[in-house]
Amino acid sequence: MNGKGEMEMKKLLAMLLAASMVFSLAACGGGGTSSTPAPAETGSAETTPAETGSTEGGNLVGVAMPTKDLQRWNQDGENMKAQLEAAGYTVDLQYAANDIPTQVSQIENMIANGCEVLVIASIDGEALGTVLDQAKEKNIPVIAYDRLIMNSDAVSYYATFDNWDVGVKQGEYIVEALDLENAGDKTYNIEYITGDPGDNNINFFFDGAISVLQPYIDAGTLVCPSGQTEKQTVATANWASDAAQSRFENILASYYADGTQLDVVLASNDSTALGVANALASSYTGNYPILTGQDCDIANVKNIVAGKQSMSVFKDTRDLASKTVEMVDALMKGTEPPVNDTETYDNGTGVIPSYLCEPKNCTIDNYQELLIDSGYYTEADLNG
């Protein structure tokens, strides 16, 4: 071959090598797009590097939240995302619109995209066993967030508030507000409402409150005119305010329309309490009852200020997010995550090591200090 032919052959080989490199890089860059992402909740799409399969540094954390319909999950998700990113992690945050198949699909995508730790607030604690088996096969630690995931040995840790104490605080507030210890022969009418039957937390909220109220129920001091006292009977699908309102409108029409006084409503959280307050506003003419709640949602804090809700148990999501970030960080670094409870939370496969944050009562007397002065809300949030 002459010199000219050799030169042309070298040019051809160089072009083929360059083309091969471009093709190879394009193939690598397409990782993580082979699975179709689950549909995002309307108006809540989260765009993170995970959606393009970026797992630089192996620091990708998947955070699965149930819905944006409740204020608290928006706060939980955003607080955790901000704190994880501040700690140097990449976050794939997804909301599932309270749709179990959507949440399952989102978790599958997180696993496929290379998430090294999963933080999951489940829609239904019994519905994730199969997808979490995939996480276990890949040795991906799972932190159940606020809601315990049941009957799965893939769950490594649990981060939550002391949910039994939430119910206890609600019960103790009722005892004190009605001065039940000195009630004598006086009786008070009480109704009950709790949350979604698929949420294991209702067992702690409701049973914790009843543990305090039971002596007064047994003594006949607290009476339930509707007779609706069983946990499953007073449950509310998806913790939905409209469902709570509808049920309580029926209760008020059936048992209190004749002027019977309703003295207290044990509502497990703020979204159900909001439904009760709406029902009371539409059809109840007696003296306003004691009404409990939990989460300190903005609408409910406004109701506390307006005298339409008596209290709410404050669960500072900044604290829970911070502790969860500590757990994630420890797992990423191969150290032991912080826990303070190794006895209480058995998910059916064994006790899950847990960290329990402390809840606090919020009333008209301390909401300013607890919520405004601490920076959780601004005055504008509550005056809007």
Side-chain angles (χ1 to χ4, degrees), residues 325-346:
V325 170
E326 287 184 39
M327 297 175 97
V328 169
D329 193 51
L331 288 168
M332 287 289 201
K333 294 175 179 176
T335 60
E336 285 295 318
V339 298
N340 61 7
D341 187 297
T342 56
E343 298 179 357
T344 306
Y345 293 93
D346 189 329

Side-chain angles (χ1 to χ4, degrees), residues 6-251:
E6 289 179 358
M7 184 66 69
E8 288 178 350
M9 181 60 72
K10 288 179 179 180
K11 288 182 178 179
L12 177 60
L13 289 172
M15 290 172 64
L16 289 172
L17 179 60
S20 174
M21 291 175 65
V22 170
F23 178 80
S24 177
L25 287 170
C28 290
T33 60
S34 59
S35 298
T36 302
E41 186 166 347
T42 302
S44 67
E46 293 291 339
T47 303
T48 73
E51 294 177 1
T52 59
S54 173
T55 57
E56 280 188 39
N59 67 346
L60 183 60
V61 180
V63 179
M65 291 282 127
T67 182
K68 279 197 165 185
D69 287 345
L70 298 184
Q71 177 191 313
R72 70 148 300 183
W73 296 120
N74 295 297
Q75 291 172 308
D76 281 81
E78 292 304 322
N79 282 336
M80 202 180 327
K81 184 173 186 288
Q83 292 190 37
L84 282 168
E85 289 177 342
Y89 296 104
T90 302
V91 182
D92 183 4
L93 171 62
Q94 299 290 337
Y95 293 86
N98 266 334
D99 182 67
I100 294 170
T102 297
Q103 187 166 62
V104 169
S105 180
Q106 288 172 344
I107 295 169
E108 286 176 338
N109 288 338
M110 290 174 184
I111 294 170
N113 286 342
C115 287
E116 298 210 2
V117 177
L118 294 173
V119 179
I120 302 172
S122 63
I123 296 169
D124 185 334
E126 301 276 358
L128 298 179
T130 300
V131 68
L132 292 190
D133 287 343
Q134 298 176 28
K136 184 178 178 182
E137 288 173 6
K138 294 194 174 186
N139 296 315
I140 301 172
V142 175
I143 300 173
Y145 184 88
D146 197 63
R147 295 174 172 178
L148 184 59
I149 299 169
M150 304 301 292
N151 299 315
S152 172
D153 62 1
V155 180
S156 308
Y157 295 93
Y158 182 32
T160 188
F161 287 88
D162 188 335
N163 292 319
W164 178 269
D165 192 42
V166 169
V168 167
K169 287 183 183 301
Q170 292 171 338
E172 289 175 344
Y173 181 89
I174 290 169
V175 169
E176 183 176 345
L178 292 177
D179 193 20
L180 294 183
E181 292 184 4
N182 300 304
D185 294 333
K186 191 171 183 179
T187 61
Y188 297 93
N189 292 328
I190 185 171
E191 299 291 342
Y192 308 92
I193 187 164
T194 191
D196 191 279
D199 184 347
N200 184 61
N201 283 345
I202 72 168
N203 298 307
F204 293 96
F205 300 148
F206 191 77
D207 293 349
I210 296 301
S211 73
V212 175
L213 300 178
Q214 194 65 56
Y216 306 101
I217 295 170
D218 293 342
T221 305
L222 291 175
V223 179
C224 181
S226 73
Q228 298 177 22
T229 60
E230 295 299 317
K231 195 185 312 175
Q232 294 302 312
T233 304
V234 303
T236 309
N238 295 326
W239 298 87
S241 296
D242 55 353
Q245 179 175 345
S246 177
R247 175 169 167 261
F248 259 79
E249 285 175 344
N250 289 334
I251 287 175

